[in-house]
Amino acid sequence: MDQERLSAIWARTVEKLKEVVREFRITEDELHEAGRYFDRLGQAGMCRSLIDVALAMTSVDVVSRTAGGTRPNLEGPYYAVHPIRPDGNLLEREPGADVPRLRLSGVVRDASTGRPIPGARLDFWQADADGFYDRKGSHLRGIVVTDAQGRYQITTVVPNDYSEHDQDPIGELFRAMGRTNTRAAHIHVKVSVHGESLLTTQLFMPTSQFLNRDYVEGAVSDDLTVKLESEPPLPNGTKLYRATFDLAVAPRMRSTAA
Ligand code: DHB
Ligand code: FE
């Protein structure tokens, strides 16, 4: 960040925070308590998460949104380098027969022309049915590429609500405020065309109990919540759902496909 921008942002931030100190007549002891809290937050490596929780969606809506395009959403902390899944299957191991499976498909389109975009890369990652991300391997992670008609399809599980902050300073803060620190179940997707990343968003599951109280402020919206349709169960009785979700992106180079 250049010096002028940094100085201007710092000055304005301090000015805004002074207003808060005056409004609540915050004491020096309370300021020091906040300082000790931020020390703990940093030692736990959680500063980025707290900034995301409070502010990332405002940035995303103001900076990353494109006209007519799918609403972007925060990247979150668990993006990684993923393998290509030629058959769209994100499962590296079979979960229990009681874990509902999901076939998600759709079309990637140019937001300005509505034309499908073949060869778009969609990078997916999500939590499992217990709300955990695979942070060592690539289970429930992977890249698929749209076909000649701009279509993609993945096979995965229905993710669950997510809370890994119960034991860390973020959980401590949210508990102290009487709020939950749970994220509504979602699937992350990043779309790139010709090597250029055009959209990072999240698709929310209608099965979530936390759609109206996701701890990331402003993350959940109706336009990013998929509809799950029941399909006939798999031969072993496992539940299967289908969902479609089309994505609209704004390529810098107009797509040439018909
Ligand atoms: C956090 C976790 C997520 O999966 C996400 O998408 C955003 C934020 C978090 O731990 O703060
Ligand atoms: Fe996430």
Side-chain angles (χ1 to χ4, degrees):
M1 195 182 289
D2 73 50
Q3 195 178 353
E4 211 174 307
R5 182 168 161 83
L6 180 62
S7 305
I9 291 173
W10 172 254
R12 195 92 169 93
T13 303
V14 172
E15 194 182 304
K16 292 274 180 193
L17 288 174
K18 281 178 186 168
E19 277 173 30
V20 176
V21 172
R22 285 190 205 103
E23 182 181 346
F24 292 91
R25 301 179 62 83
I26 297 177
T27 65
E28 227 182 319
D29 281 350
E30 286 173 325
L31 287 177
H32 292 161
E33 189 179 336
R36 286 191 298 275
Y37 174 76
F38 284 117
D39 284 345
R40 280 204 304 288
L41 188 72
Q43 276 155 13
M46 311 257 42
C47 290
R48 173 184 157 162
S49 268
L50 191 65
I51 287 174
D52 270 2
V53 166
L55 300 174
M57 286 311 300
T58 302
S59 167
V60 154
D61 280 331
V62 168
V63 180
S64 311
R65 223 175 169 150
T66 56
T70 302
R71 185 190 182 212
N73 213 289
L74 79 165
E75 180 176 295
Y78 300 128
Y79 176 63
V81 175
H82 298 145
I84 292 176
R85 309 290 191 188
D87 59 359
N89 183 11
L90 305 189
L91 285 84
E92 291 203 334
R93 47 184 178 269
E94 284 302 316
D98 56 327
V99 172
R101 309 300 154 90
L102 171 63
R103 290 223 174 97
L104 172 70
S105 60
V107 176
V108 178
R109 295 180 190 281
D110 183 319
S112 55
T113 65
R115 286 197 194 119
I117 304 179
R121 279 167 73 104
L122 288 87
D123 204 328
F124 289 95
W125 70 106
Q126 66 170 88
D128 64 16
D130 297 316
F132 291 108
Y133 285 81
D134 183 358
R135 301 213 227 159
K136 298 202 180 95
S138 297
H139 183 54
L140 307 182
R141 296 171 176 273
I143 295 169
V144 295
V145 179
T146 57
D147 68 11
Q149 280 79 45
R151 294 176 303 200
Y152 74 90
Q153 187 190 315
I154 59 166
T155 303
T156 183
V157 302
V158 179
N160 212 334
D161 300 322
Y162 159 94
S163 168
E164 276 188 3
H165 295 297
D166 292 339
Q167 308 302 324
D168 68 30
I170 294 187
E172 176 194 328
L173 176 65
F174 276 64
R175 256 195 317 282
M177 296 189 294
R179 287 165 63 166
T180 66
N181 57 43
T182 301
R183 291 234 50 213
H186 57 273
I187 297 176
H188 293 265
V189 59
K190 214 183 236 304
V191 183
S192 53
V193 176
H194 302 309
E196 190 190 3
S197 178
L198 299 178
L199 171 70
T200 300
T201 191
Q202 303 185 8
L203 310 183
F204 294 92
M205 299 297 117
T207 43
S208 169
Q209 301 300 303
F210 289 83
L211 290 174
N212 60 354
R213 51 197 162 123
D214 187 303
Y215 93 124
V216 175
E217 292 192 30
V220 179
S221 54
D222 287 348
D223 54 333
L224 292 179
T225 306
V226 302
K227 288 194 179 62
L228 297 183
E229 286 166 52
S230 285
E231 293 274 285
L234 299 178
N236 64 355
T238 297
K239 274 192 194 157
L240 177 64
Y241 293 98
R242 193 166 56 82
T244 57
F245 195 90
D246 293 348
L247 296 141
V249 299
R252 225 174 279 158
M253 271 180 303
R254 189 63 61 80
S255 153
T256 51

